[in-house]
Each structure stands twice: as C-alpha cells, then as structure tokens.
Amino acid sequence: MIPEKVRETFFVMLIMFCTVIGPVWGETGYADHVVQVHVTRQSWDQRAPWQKFSPKTDVISGTVVPGNRILTEAYPLADHLLIQVSKGGEIQKTMARVFLKDYNTNLALLEVEDPGFFQDLDPVAFSLSGIPQKPLTSAVWENGGELRTYNAEYLRTYVKSYRNNGLTLCHRMTTDHSGSGRSEPVFDGEGNLAGIISNPVQSDGSVEIIAADSIIRLLRDLEDGLYQGIPFFWLEYAPLKGDVHLKRFLGLKESDEGIYISRIPPYSSGSDVLRQGDVLLKIDGYDIDDLGTITFPEYGKLHYSAAVFLRHQEGDTVKCLVARNGVKQEIRFSLKAIQREMFLIPPNSSDVQPGYFVWGGLLFQELTRDYLTSYGRSWRQDVDIRFLHLYDTMEAYPDDERRSIVILCKVFPDPVNVGYHTLRNLVLLTVDGIPVKDLRHAKYLIDSSGEPYTVFKFAGHTSAVLRRQRVNEVNEALLNRYSIQAAEYLPLEGWEVKNEDPD
Amino acid sequence: MKAAGRIVLLLPVIIIFAVACVSTDASRQLNRRTIASRTATVKIVNVSQSPNLYRPWEMEDFETFSGSGAVLKDGTIITNAHVVSNSRYLTVLKENDPKPYEAEILYVGHECDLALLMVKDPAFYIGTTWLEFEEKVPDLNSVVTTFGYPLGGERISITKGVVSRIEIETYIHQWKSAFIQVQTDAAINPGNSGGPVVQNGRIVGIAVQGLSGAENIGYMIPSQIVNHFLDDVSDGTFDGFPDLGVAWANLENPDYRGYLGMTRGQTGVLVKNILPGSSADGYIRPGDAILEVEGTPIGNDGSIMFENGRIMFTYLIDDKQVGDSVVITLLRKGGKKSVQVPLFTFSLRIPNYYEFEKKPRYLIYGGIVFQRLSLEYLNMWDEWWDKADPLLLYYFNDNVSDNIFPEREEFVVINKILPGSVNLYMANEVDGVVDTVNGIPIHRLEDVLKAVEHPVEGYTVITLDNSPRPIVLDAEEAERTHADILKQYGIASDRELN
C-alpha cells in the first residue's frame, strides 16, 4: 500500500499536469474530450430468471480521462453485452470494455481495445473542489456528427445516496438542454470537468451532476491498481433538530449539536465502537449540526457522510467525538469497504444472472431489491407486505446463520404440486426442519436429504411436502413443458458443502 | 396520506334487498300468502351517527338510512344489523299507515348482520301479520319472493327470483366472518335490506346485500343463520358465533397426506396455526390434520356435503352456540384422535373487521393523540390496502401468522399531534406504533396512562417501533399544559377507554 501522503502528492501532481497540458478551450476543445458510448444491454427477467428481456441499445456520452480511459455512468451500463465508442461524431465505432463499474458511486471507466483511438483525443482536467466556475457548458455529440453545447447554471451541491449504500457528491444545475441526462460532461469556465450529468432533466428544468470530487475520488482510489470503493459507514440516526428536551434528557447542553445514533449495522465501519444511543457530535474534525450536516469550506453544508466517503478510503482511521451517557469522548475506527455480503437483501444485482432453482415446479430465488422492483413503478404497493417490511426495516443483517432470504416465488402447476398452486412470494424458513442459510444451502438440503419426503416450511405457517421420488420422475418434463431452460442457476458465491460439519 | 374525511365505505356497498315468493299453489292461497307477507313487512328508518376516527372525541354528522324488516310471531321485528347500526333514533312504518312508530333494538349481531327490534306502541301491531321461518334451505332454482321498501319508497315492492347458489361467503357488514349465504337473481337495491325472502308463505331468508359490479346477484341470510341468532338471544344475551381459532390449509397434495400418514381413503385439512387463547388452543396443534367435525368427513379442500352440494366445513362450527362443544377427529403423528373442543368467541388484537356502537378508544397526553390499530384506523386512508403506512399494513396482515409482539394486547398508534409548546419538536411520528413509554412496554392504551406517571428524570420518553428518534417531553410541562391543549382544541375529554 502506498503511504497516504505520497499518494496524495502524486495525485495532486497528476491533476496539475493535466491542467497544464490542457488544450486551448473552445468548442474544438470539448470535442477532444467527449465521445459517444454505444451500449447494448440485456437484463435478466427477475421473475423468470432463466431468460432475459429484449436487448436494448442506448447511446450515452463518455468523457476522456487520464490513462486512456473513458468515464461514464455505471447504471446505464447495467447488464451490458456490448460496448462500442465513437469519437468526433463519426459513425465508425470501436470496441470498448468495462474497466470499472461502481454502482455505489454510479461511475464507470471504459477501456478501448485499439490504443490508436485516443490519438486525437485529450484527457480532461478536473475542476478544483468547490462551486464550479461560470459559465458552465455541457457538450454532447448529436446525430449528424455535430457537437452541441448547452448552458448550465449551478444551483447547489449535496450528497446523493443510492439504494441504501451508494454515495456521491452531486451538483444540481439548470440547463437549457431538455434532452440531457445521458452522462454528458459539464465543463466549467476554465474548460475543466465539473462533473457528468446523471439523471434526466426534471420537470423544474434541473439536472443532477456527479461532481468532479466524486470522480477524482474514484481515480485516486485506483492509483494503487486496486479499487476499493467508497468506505461503508452507515448509521441509522435521527438529527437532534434543536430538540432541547431530547438534548437535556441525553445530558447535553442546548448548544451541543449532532445526531442521535439509533442503530448501526454490524458490518458498518465503526460498529465495534459506536453504540446505539450515542450522539455523534464531530466527525473527522467537522462539527455535525442538529440537521446532520457539516460545513465544507468549498461547498458549505453537506451531509456528514461526505467527511468520510469523499475524503477517505478503506483502512483510513476516522476520528469522532460522541456523547455517551452525557459524557463526551473521542472515538476512532478504521474504515471498511462495501461488500456484497453486507446486505441480506442485495441493493443491486445487475450484471449477474439471478440465482434460482425449480424443484417439483416450486421456483425458489433469493430476495433482492431488483426482484422487488420488477413489480414495476408501484412496486412498493404491489409486492408482498412481508417482503416490503423486510426491505424497509433491514431488521436483520446477514450472518453465518442466514446469508440471504430464500423465497418461493411461484409454483408451476403440475400434478406433482397439486394443492400448492396458489402459493407465491413466501419466505422459506426450513427444509426438513433445518434453517435455510441461502439459496445454495436450500438446494443442498433438498439434494442431500435421505428422507422420502421433503418438507418446506415458510413464514406465516405455510408448508408444503413433496415426495422426492415423484419430483425426480417429473422434474424434467415439467421444465420442458414450461420452457424453463435449466433446472437451476445457483449463485457462484454462497454456502459451500465444506462448511458443513461432517456428521 | 390519510384522506381528509372518513370514507363511508360500507353502506353504499351493501344493497338492501327483498325477494318475494310466488309458489305454484292455487292462486287464492297465493294471494292470501302474499297479503300476509305484505302486512308482515315493514319499513325501518334509522338515524345513525358514526364516530370520527380522525377526531375520536367527536361524532360525525348524523345520516338517515332506510331498510326493511319482517314482523315475527312474538311481535319482534327481524332486520339487518346494518339497517339499525349506530342508531340514534329508530322508527318503523307499515304500508298504508303514515305514522312512524318508535322502535327499540333488543339484540344486534353485527357479524351475522341481524337485529331484532320491538315497537313500543301496541297500536302498531293492529293490522300487521307475522311470518315464520322455514327450516330448510330453499332448493337451487326454486322461486323466492322478496318483500321490502327499496330505494326508500313509501309503497312495498315485491320482486321474484330464483335461488342461484348456496355458498359460504363473507358477511360484508362487519367483514368479520363468512357464513352460509343464499344467492338469488332477484333485484336487490338499497332499502331492501332486512326484508323477508319468502317461499310458500314462510321466510327462507333475510335480504342482505347486493353485489355491485355484477348483474342480478343478491344475497340473503338463510333461516339457519337467522335461527342461530334467535336461539342465541333467547337467553337474553347475544353471544355471537363461536370461533374455533384454527388457520388451516388444504391437503389436496397426495404427498402431503402421505407424509402425515393419512391412509388412502382419509381426507381432511391441515392445521397451519392456532390462535393463542382461542377455542382450539390446547386441543388442536399445528401440523394436525382435521379429518372429521361432528362425525362429518372433511374433504381435502375443506368442504363437506351439504344439501345437494358442498360447502366449507366451517359451517359445522357456525352451527354451534357459544358454550357448546364440538367433536373433532384429528390425525396427529399418524394416529387418529378425537377431541371435544368447548367453543367460545375470540377477538383479535388488531380488529380486522368493523366495529359498531362503540366510541373509538383514545388517549391524549402532551397533545399526542394515541389510538389503537384496527381496520377502522386503516380505513382513514383512501385505498388503505395499498396506501396506508407499510409498517401498519404489515402488523395488520401478519400479526397473527408472524406472532408479532405476542405480549401486546393491542397496538397503540399515534394518530395525531395537537401542536403546543410541549410537543414543539415532534415531527414525523404520526402513525408511529408506540413501543415503550418511560421504559415501560406499551401493551394497551391504559399502559400509556400508567407509564406517564413515572417520568425519567423529569422527562416522558416515548419510543416507537422502527423509528430512530425517542420522543422526549417535559413531564411537568405536559401536566401543566394538558388542560389548555384540550381547551384550545375544543376537546371535551382526554380519553375514551371503553
């Protein structure tokens, strides 16, 4: 690991270097930075996970960054099959591949197979941290090979959170380009990159820009060749909001400001030292106010998490001041990176086939956010209320006993499963009385059982029994009848047989 | 969000009906019977007033509804519960007599949607006849006649139809229970409710509800259920229908039956869950198969033979009175076993049915209005099943099956905050479910009352389920400003703990 100080110096030099050699600004300057990214994507059908939806091709923008890479957003590349890039508004496309896709920051980097692609392109330099200098311009290649520029006006800066775990620093801007929202770069008055647009124009004419700060953070993270991602520091908290009664009750002075910690997930950084009931007053030297914000010199008020995710990465130590039982004390903890296994209900399952198996017509999967949202726009109203409750409350975290929530999605009607045809969206608790740890484990329990009957118990006192021999006799024909291409696709990661005691 | 005004969901759905019967007997006999049915059918006008769930210390404006009823041999009048519910002033009218006679409610059974009235003035009975009940359920496709006053008309209406279907269906007035219902194609309209449905001069049912969105589907309460109600009240109290307290599933899957050790000829249903404290608790266990009830074999789909068709076996329980017992044959761990289960009624911690004649329970402290979670509470939302708070919906749907907070006798919810200096810092806690007050677990509204007497270092601390921020009130200030808040918001009483 490169010492932090050295890393920082190197990085500052890199940015300065880019700034110095930057071309003369003007529209031609933008043209050297902006490319088109043609992405063909095909997502898995979460409710029939052996098949995919129709492929779609979108054209988004990419921005050339140092190191012959192209910066764009991660979400538009979800479930990609083919990525091509084109420059100068030309029709000719060049194959590209994903170098890094980070859904937690919604940023992605592409590499191009042909190194000659970058010959007449220039990497951008970045705006220094702070409110970007006017005038702001976004640039995009239009159909017909013309680079169009649009004006943008800065409104404010804030921390955006994605799906419970992702965090980016964003600017909100107004723009005169009603079609914006496809990763177009926004340049400041000096021609440096202020950020990339990350969401379609809202009805109020504003767009969201992923700020250069977050992009710089990502590039800096990559310097040692290993991308760790933003650290995972996640509290459930309530801002004190000037509540003098609460403050007095907690043994604080009226002038003390901060946030009340109500829960801290066991996987979060700091979970070993912070406690429920602590009041977080300071983080990494920043005072936290009664609304949960800190004051950044460059931006003013920002959510307290910015002190951690923008300025630090895994392994760094963060210093906090907390009030515990009315006594102020300093607490230090080191930062952990986000891992998939931190979530019982994964917030994002793009790019991988959903795990499933069909046994006796019973379709089992793992509960994911993408499964829930497959119910469409009003998914919160349409999904099973127990699923929604599990998702909303995050009341459990994965551990050795339960790594994911296995669900019975539906039953493909067949004589073998008569009586169970109406069962759907049930949480599987046990197979043959043994608590289920994850999908792989559930399948293992079924396969390894020596009993003639396999007994499934679900939440809500529902149960089903199938006779193994009968299922084995009909499973193949059932799969064929419903055109289910494979009986199972088990996630690569998860419970393994070797974990089990030999008895 | 919760809707601004209470939705009167119930009454518009219920369409009152009365079916008149014409038999194929001689026309003279027919006439005599029709006249008897006519003069035994009365119009009932009810001035009803419902509580206001938003402001539980207030009542809604009164509304006037009309329905029908039938005079019985002892001078009582049988009608629907929904015709007379939440009554403030009740009158009965006869055909060809302009005088409204004041009536009193003797008994009301909301779950079976039946009520028994009496007119105080003996003059009312001059010129009326009375009707008796037929014991048997009318045959399918046999002709029945409804008598009643649909759409509030002054003159009696007589319509004819046939019996289309006999089934166990939810009685929508209280939305609590499903009992046997007889479906007919006779025209059913608001105002028919409570009127007699007659065949061969005898009542075969009481018109009860129509089905909106379908044509020519109306329902009557058959005489079995009416007789159950009349038997029940014959001792002077209405006890209601007993609940077995069993959640069951079909056993249509042969492998499941094989796993339970059922032999080839055996049929029955699977016991999923037993409601704690219900009739079955201690007698029947989850995982048992119910093979027979009172010697009647249960089908794998839960049906039994009844008349010429099949209906749900729960009919056999409905047929019993509170205090009776029922003999149930079980298969437990492969062995046959008979249990005699004493039957009683059972109420849920979160009522999933409508309540009547009762003021909503509430309590005000520190300007916070505490109420209990119930169907009526959720009904404050438009399309509550989609739009109400998800945590409340989860509790409502799954509190029994998931045994959520088994120690809670009811779920105490913050319905409203009446802003004042004492609760200045409260914000998003509306519709939160109270977990503790001053460290004391809240199992019912009364617990809040007790807990606030023990403030922690001068503060009352309220915690909610799944809500990060404790609510902290200055206990002395809450005490001191209590009367002012009530006065300021025009609230006569700070509690209703009926």
Side-chain angles (χ1 to χ4, degrees), chain A residues 49 340 344 346 353-359 362-368 401-409 426 428-429 431 435-447 456 458 487-496:
Chain A
R340 180 247 169 255
L344 199 58
Q353 181 175 4
Y356 76 93
F357 66 85
V358 180
W359 196 75
L362 276 60
L363 168 61
F364 293 96
Q365 285 179 242
E366 286 180 332
L367 186 61
T368 63
E401 295 308 310
R402 190 167 62 158
R403 193 179 163 273
S404 63
I405 297 170
V406 179
I407 56 172
L408 169 68
C409 302
L426 295 168
L428 178 65
L429 300 177
V431 174
V436 168
K437 298 172 199 281
D438 65 13
L439 192 71
R440 291 170 65 96
H441 186 233
K443 188 64 184 12
Y444 168 80
L445 291 174
I446 294 169
D447 290 344
F456 300 95
F458 305 97
E488 64 179 47
Y489 174 79
L490 296 178
L492 299 174
E493 286 180 21
W495 183 86
E496 286 176 46

Side-chain angles (χ1 to χ4, degrees), chain B residues 54-92:
Chain B
Y54 293 88
R55 296 179 297 282
W57 50 88
E58 290 178 8
M59 298 299 285
E60 298 280 2
D61 197 2
F62 67 85
E63 293 169 287
T64 305
F65 297 103
S66 77
S68 308
V71 181
L72 305 182
K73 194 173 182 179
D74 60 358
T76 57
I77 297 165
I78 187 96
T79 184
N80 286 142
H82 75 258
V83 171
V84 299
S85 57
N86 292 324
S87 179
R88 296 294 173 269
Y89 180 64
L90 192 64
T91 51
V92 177

Side-chain angles (χ1 to χ4, degrees), chain A residues 242 248 262 386 416 418 461 463, chain B residues 253 255-256 401-402 425 459 468:
Chain A
R248 279 189 220 131
S262 58
R386 192 184 275 113
V416 76
V418 73
H461 300 279
S463 55
Chain B
N253 192 284
D255 292 344
Y256 211 138
S401 67
D402 288 8
Y425 301 105
Y459 294 100

Side-chain angles (χ1 to χ4, degrees), chain A residues 156-394:
Chain A
R156 62 182 183 278
T157 302
Y158 54 93
V159 172
K160 167 158 178 150
S161 68
Y162 293 91
R163 304 188 179 185
N164 299 330
N165 56 328
L167 293 164
T168 43
L169 188 72
C170 287
H171 301 310
R172 187 153 285 280
M173 297 183 181
T174 54
T175 171
D176 55 0
H177 179 18
S178 60
S180 290
R182 298 177 151 246
S183 319
E184 301 92 326
V186 178
F187 298 95
D188 67 11
E190 306 258 294
N192 297 322
L193 186 73
I196 61 172
I197 296 178
S198 86
N199 261 317
V201 178
Q202 304 287 297
S203 54
D204 64 359
S206 73
V207 284
E208 191 166 76
I209 316 282
I210 301 174
D213 301 67
S214 273
I215 299 164
I216 290 169
R217 198 222 156 275
L218 174 124
L219 295 173
R220 189 171 174 175
D221 191 330
L222 260 175
E223 274 167 32
D224 59 2
L226 181 73
Y227 184 71
Q228 290 154 319
I230 56 169
F232 185 51
F233 177 54
W234 180 20
L235 301 174
E236 282 178 37
Y237 70 94
L240 294 180
K241 283 188 179 166
D243 186 339
V244 294
H245 296 151
L246 180 58
K247 285 182 186 180
R248 279 189 220 131
F249 175 72
L250 294 169
L252 299 173
K253 293 194 295 253
E254 277 183 40
S255 57
D256 289 329
E257 296 200 30
I259 55 174
Y260 175 90
I261 300 175
S262 58
R263 193 161 67 148
I264 175 158
Y267 284 90
S268 170
S269 311
S271 63
D272 46 345
V273 286
L274 292 168
R275 288 188 203 157
Q276 189 264 328
D278 284 352
V279 177
L280 192 59
L281 305 165
K282 253 183 171 187
I283 188 156
D284 202 33
Y286 292 97
D287 289 322
I288 300 177
D289 68 16
D290 264 3
L291 297 172
T293 60
I294 54 178
T295 305
F296 257 47
E298 302 92 331
Y299 294 111
K301 301 276 187 196
L302 285 181
H303 187 260
Y304 73 87
S305 62
V308 177
F309 85 86
L310 268 187
R311 300 281 151 107
H312 290 286
Q313 47 192 326
E314 186 193 3
D316 291 358
T317 298
V318 170
K319 199 169 74 178
C320 293
L321 183 68
V322 301
R324 180 173 296 167
N325 303 324
V327 181
K328 288 180 191 169
Q329 49 187 282
E330 201 179 276
I331 276 175
R332 286 161 190 270
F333 56 89
S334 74
L335 293 174
K336 300 188 246 185
I338 292 181
Q339 307 286 342
R340 180 247 169 255
E341 59 267 22
M342 289 172 173
F343 303 94
L344 199 58
I345 302 175
N348 186 348
S349 5
S350 301
D351 305 319
V352 289
Q353 181 175 4
Y356 76 93
F357 66 85
V358 180
W359 196 75
L362 276 60
L363 168 61
F364 293 96
Q365 285 179 242
E366 286 180 332
L367 186 61
T368 63
R369 185 185 190 277
D370 287 355
Y371 179 81
L372 295 170
T373 56
S374 70
Y375 279 80
R377 268 178 187 279
S378 55
W379 65 272
R380 291 188 58 87
Q381 288 170 17
D382 295 339
V383 300
D384 176 78
I385 189 73
R386 192 184 275 113
F387 289 181
L388 185 65
H389 181 70
L390 285 166
Y391 179 77
D392 277 354
T393 57
M394 289 270 163

Side-chain angles (χ1 to χ4, degrees), chain B residues 125 150 158 356 395:
Chain B
Y125 293 98
I158 303 170
F356 302 91
Y395 285 172

